[in-house]
Amino acid sequence: MVGFLLGRVQTYHRVEGRPDPIANAIQSTILPPAAGLQGMMSGVNHFFSGLGQTPALQRENEALRQRVADFKNFEAREKALQQQIDALRKLSKLPPEPDKTRIPARVIQFSPHEARMTLNVGSEKGIKPGMAVLQGDGLLGVISTVSSGESQLNLVTSTQVRVGGMIVKEAVAAGLVRGQGPDSLVLEFIEGTVKVDVGDIVITSGYSKQIPRGIPIGQVESFEKEISYGNRRARLVPMARVGSALEVYVLR
Amino acid sequence: MKATTYIFAVLIGLFVAGVLQASDRWFTVFGARPLFILVFVACMGMVNRPAWGAGAGFLAGIVEGSLAGANLTQYVTSRALTGFCVAWVRSTDLQFGVILAAIGTLLSTLGANAILMIFAPPADIGSFIRATIFSAMYNGVLAMPLFAVLQHFAKPTKV
């Protein structure tokens, strides 16, 4: 009888659209501690599943430690190389980059066929089209498009890129550097008097607001004189190693 | 068992059983879900007189029905009848031991859910019966330690 009455009370409240007081009271008493118990059981479960995965976790930990050690080695090597570059710059009497800030960036996409890379910095860092991108101290490319959080650069080896370049010796041999393929550049000289040797370093001429003078572009691999057109050109090996470009700098 | 001890034991026992049953996903073994509240009702029936067994079943029905969000009449009736029947069997001079308690709990789980099935036929009867059989076996195992504890603290009273 009492059970039947309880059922009637329950049905009455449900029909009225109100919560059933009896079930509500029971649930309010039992469900909170049950939730606590479930949380505790979940913790115990995680503990035991963690014990079961110990060998795998140890292997993963070992691999991560190895990666940290590799990264530290890489950092130390990069620092040593940077010091070497600085020393070479002083020896070559290359001018520092005036009024420019190096914005570190990470390469997040590389399209070798289009000679284009995407960087993880964009307009929020003040990046603008035309800015130079360096790998180490060598010119890697020129920013072409910028959006928020990302920017794209055309590699210096891209046929779309033209950069003023020069060889500084006893006299200046200036010209225009353009890309000719994945690992080849050409410097077409404007003037035809200065002697050029294999091994000469070509730097940016600085006849641009955004690309300062003195950034190494490439090294002369061969030199030729086109008698029919009357101009001289040098084939260059780019200073930047495109295939290994992961961390770069944008000159802002 | 004294009336005050009985009421105290029923309230505490139902609270604990309810909490465990609401967390039953952690106790599910090979798809078998334990019905802690029914285990408690069966074991209480095995150490009490029929009226008290029915009383424990009645309260257990309210708790279980509330937790299930189901109609209380069906749960209260099925659990009260189960508690009464188990206690009545004990009152016939049958001496429950741990093994017999396990078998009794298994049978009472089957019986309680059979009554529930008659009052409120489930949509998929086959699945319900299969789940009840697995739960009954699980309950039988769970009843052994519980009965041992209850038997230790509450000497069975003769009717």
Side-chain angles (χ1 to χ4, degrees):
Chain A
M1 280 296 289
V2 179
F4 178 75
L5 278 175
L6 284 172
R8 293 292 296 169
V9 169
Q10 193 180 31
T11 308
Y12 171 76
H13 279 90
R14 283 184 181 174
V15 168
E16 292 289 311
R18 285 179 295 188
D20 166 23
I22 301 161
N24 215 23
I26 299 284
Q27 286 176 0
S28 313
T29 311
I30 286 178
L31 291 183
L37 179 70
Q38 284 183 29
M40 204 172 72
M41 297 293 284
S42 177
V44 172
N45 183 43
H46 286 156
F47 173 74
F48 283 107
S49 64
L51 282 182
Q53 291 170 352
T54 301
L57 288 172
Q58 277 177 333
R59 280 195 298 277
E60 190 182 349
N61 191 31
E62 195 57 41
L64 287 171
R65 280 175 191 276
Q66 187 59 47
R67 286 187 71 176
V68 169
D70 290 347
F71 183 70
K72 279 182 179 169
N73 282 340
F74 174 77
E75 262 189 337
R77 194 156 171 267
E78 193 195 18
K79 204 173 177 181
L81 286 171
Q82 188 59 51
Q83 285 170 349
Q84 202 177 344
I85 288 166
D86 290 343
L88 285 171
R89 285 184 78 90
K90 276 181 190 169
L91 282 173
S92 311
K93 294 178 182 169
L94 293 176
E97 297 139 5
D99 306 325
K100 293 288 177 188
T101 311
R102 284 183 171 219
I103 309 295
R106 198 157 46 81
V107 176
I108 54 174
Q109 199 179 343
F110 175 31
S111 309
H113 297 299
E114 296 169 15
R116 190 182 297 164
M117 282 181 171
T118 306
L119 306 180
N120 69 336
V121 291
S123 53
E124 81 288 348
K125 295 264 186 181
I127 309 297
K128 288 177 183 166
M131 287 181 170
V133 180
L134 311 187
Q135 183 202 15
D137 257 14
L139 184 68
L140 178 68
V142 178
I143 297 287
S144 56
T145 55
V146 180
S147 62
S148 176
E150 278 187 9
S151 53
Q152 284 198 325
L153 66 103
N154 286 324
L155 295 173
V156 74
T157 52
S158 163
T159 52
Q160 294 176 23
V161 171
R162 302 273 192 283
V163 182
M166 61 185 184
I167 297 172
V168 183
K169 297 173 83 172
E170 60 276 3
V172 173
L176 205 60
V177 178
R178 59 182 172 82
Q180 274 227 317
D183 53 2
S184 179
L185 301 169
V186 166
L187 170 61
E188 290 176 342
F189 292 98
I190 298 166
E191 294 175 25
T193 53
V194 181
K195 186 173 176 288
V196 176
D197 296 309
V198 171
D200 283 348
I201 302 289
V202 178
I203 58 171
T204 51
S205 60
Y207 301 140
S208 152
K209 278 186 178 176
Q210 291 181 311
I211 304 177
R213 181 174 301 164
I215 300 170
I217 303 173
Q219 198 169 17
V220 176
E221 188 184 34
S222 63
F223 176 72
E224 58 195 54
K225 202 173 183 176
E226 280 194 24
I227 299 167
S228 54
Y229 294 103
N231 61 359
R232 302 186 312 155
R233 57 166 65 175
R235 289 195 176 278
L236 314 177
V237 178
M239 296 293 273
R241 295 283 171 264
V242 172
S244 59
L246 298 172
E247 306 292 334
V248 297
Y249 296 101
V250 182
L251 280 189
R252 189 180 64 192
Chain B
M1 190 182 271
K2 288 180 185 174
T4 48
T5 316
Y6 164 79
I7 292 167
F8 185 73
V10 166
L11 292 178
I12 294 292
L14 281 179
F15 175 76
V16 173
V19 168
L20 291 174
Q21 190 150 319
S23 323
D24 66 347
R25 74 186 177 95
W26 289 105
F27 303 100
T28 303
V29 179
F30 301 121
R33 293 169 62 236
L35 300 172
F36 290 100
I37 295 173
L38 261 179
V39 175
F40 180 74
V41 170
C43 290
M44 281 300 280
M46 288 172 204
V47 294
N48 279 300
R49 62 190 72 166
W52 289 12
F58 173 82
L59 292 174
I62 294 176
V63 173
E64 200 172 355
S66 299
L67 288 178
N71 189 305
L72 290 180
T73 307
Q74 297 146 7
Y75 271 88
V76 163
T77 311
S78 64
R79 271 49 182 166
L81 275 173
T82 303
F84 177 82
C85 290
V86 174
W88 178 78
V89 169
R90 189 197 67 84
S91 69
T92 59
D93 280 346
L94 180 70
Q95 291 297 314
F96 276 101
V98 173
I99 301 296
L100 208 54
I103 296 167
T105 305
L106 187 151
L107 293 174
S108 59
T109 303
L110 292 173
N113 273 9
I115 298 168
L116 185 66
M117 195 173 72
I118 292 165
F119 280 117
D124 184 357
I125 291 181
S127 297
F128 180 78
I129 292 172
R130 196 165 45 247
T132 300
I133 291 168
F134 285 130
S135 295
M137 290 192 287
Y138 200 153
N139 280 4
V141 176
L142 291 176
M144 290 195 275
L146 180 64
F147 176 76
V149 171
L150 285 178
Q151 197 181 31
H152 179 75
F153 285 104
K155 292 283 178 201
T157 51
K158 291 275 181 188
V159 182

